[in-house]
Amino acid sequence: MNTRRFLPSPSMGVALLALAIALGGTAYAANKIGSNQIKKNAITSAKIKKKAVTSAKISPKAVTTAKIAKQGVTTGKIAPDAVNSSKISDYGTIGNGTAIQATDGPNVDAARDAAPPTRLYENGPLTIYAKCFRDTVADELRGEMYVSTTQDFSIMEGDDDLSGGPLATDYLNAGTPEVDRQLDTQSVTGAGTSYLETEGMMAAPDGPAVSMVTGIGVKNGPVLANGPYGPGNACIFQGGAFG
């Protein structure tokens, strides 16, 4: 019996060997080629199929701020409703920089009592409000911010510090006198202006803890230009709160 006629020809043998290598090479590549075997910059964005890299294929914390190009994440690349309040820190503005006309009085206490409060910011039981008033005898104009609370044993740090302690009066309470819970104050005597910023904090037992940057501008009497204060004696209140 001649068995040579059952053997493949040399060309067929080469073809079968190439097929075996190709099939085996695919399995080898799937199991043996890791990130260390890929040349740097070999896989470019043009070689990645559209939508091939999904969130499920990205390791947790793999995409850090250092790996995101400056201005790489634009509004067009953020899915609708992807950034909600649970994913950003709370932030609010304190006032809007609108000028408030001063209320006159024969002295500081009388002018303060007569001035209407202007609410600037509110978070839970905590509220920031302001007054703008002028002592007509001393020709002194004052802008003042205050913190109020509906929850006793709150705390605050500002022009007045109520950080807690062994006494009830060491805390910011619903009944704390207004002059003892000043957050920020600014004044000017005679014709002129003053415009400064400061920092503060406040917290309630069952409510938010808030840090703040506040600014007050005051203008008394005639000056070179009214600017953002507008005509007359006025105060500007502004700032930001975050927690």
Side-chain angles (χ1 to χ4, degrees):
M1 180 178 179
N2 186 2
T3 58
R4 289 182 58 84
R5 65 190 184 92
F6 294 104
L7 295 175
S9 65
S11 60
M12 178 62 73
V14 171
L16 291 174
L17 178 61
L19 177 60
I21 293 174
L23 293 175
T26 301
Y28 177 87
N31 292 292
K32 298 298 182 181
I33 298 179
S35 57
N36 292 332
Q37 282 75 46
I38 299 174
K39 185 179 179 181
K40 186 177 181 180
N41 298 326
I43 299 178
T44 62
S45 56
K47 296 178 181 179
I48 300 175
K49 185 179 179 181
K50 188 176 181 180
K51 297 182 180 180
V53 180
T54 62
S55 57
K57 296 177 181 178
I58 300 174
S59 298
K61 300 181 180 180
V63 181
T64 61
T65 44
K67 296 179 181 178
I68 299 174
K70 187 177 181 180
Q71 299 180 343
V73 180
T74 61
T75 53
K77 296 178 181 179
I78 300 174
D81 301 321
V83 180
N84 53 48
S85 58
S86 66
K87 296 180 180 179
I88 58 175
S89 61
D90 293 331
Y91 177 84
T93 56
I94 298 175
N96 58 7
T98 302
I100 299 172
Q101 291 296 304
T103 299
D104 288 343
N107 54 60
V108 169
D109 292 336
R112 181 186 289 113
D113 291 341
T118 299
R119 191 182 71 84
L120 304 177
Y121 173 83
E122 188 173 15
N123 196 331
L126 301 168
T127 299
I128 298 175
Y129 68 94
K131 289 185 176 183
C132 181
F133 53 92
R134 178 172 174 267
D135 178 344
T136 56
V137 175
D139 194 18
E140 178 188 14
L141 187 143
R142 297 181 64 87
E144 298 184 346
M145 288 186 186
Y146 314 88
V147 178
S148 66
T149 184
T150 58
Q151 192 173 84
D152 287 345
F153 303 110
S154 298
I155 55 176
M156 66 169 286
E157 186 275 328
D159 276 17
D160 288 323
D161 293 334
L162 295 168
S163 56
L167 302 176
T169 53
D170 296 328
Y171 295 86
L172 172 66
N173 300 311
T176 301
E178 185 175 69
V179 294
D180 294 332
R181 45 184 172 83
Q182 293 177 342
L183 176 64
D184 191 7
T185 62
Q186 194 55 247
S187 66
V188 61
T189 301
T193 60
S194 182
Y195 187 49
L196 292 173
E197 62 84 23
T198 189
E199 298 81 33
M201 299 183 295
M202 59 183 182
D206 298 326
V210 183
S211 297
M212 298 154 286
V213 175
T214 58
I216 301 177
V218 292
K219 178 175 80 73
N220 185 39
V223 295
L224 179 62
N226 290 324
Y229 297 98
N233 307 313
C235 304
I236 295 174
F237 301 99
Q238 63 189 96
F242 49 94

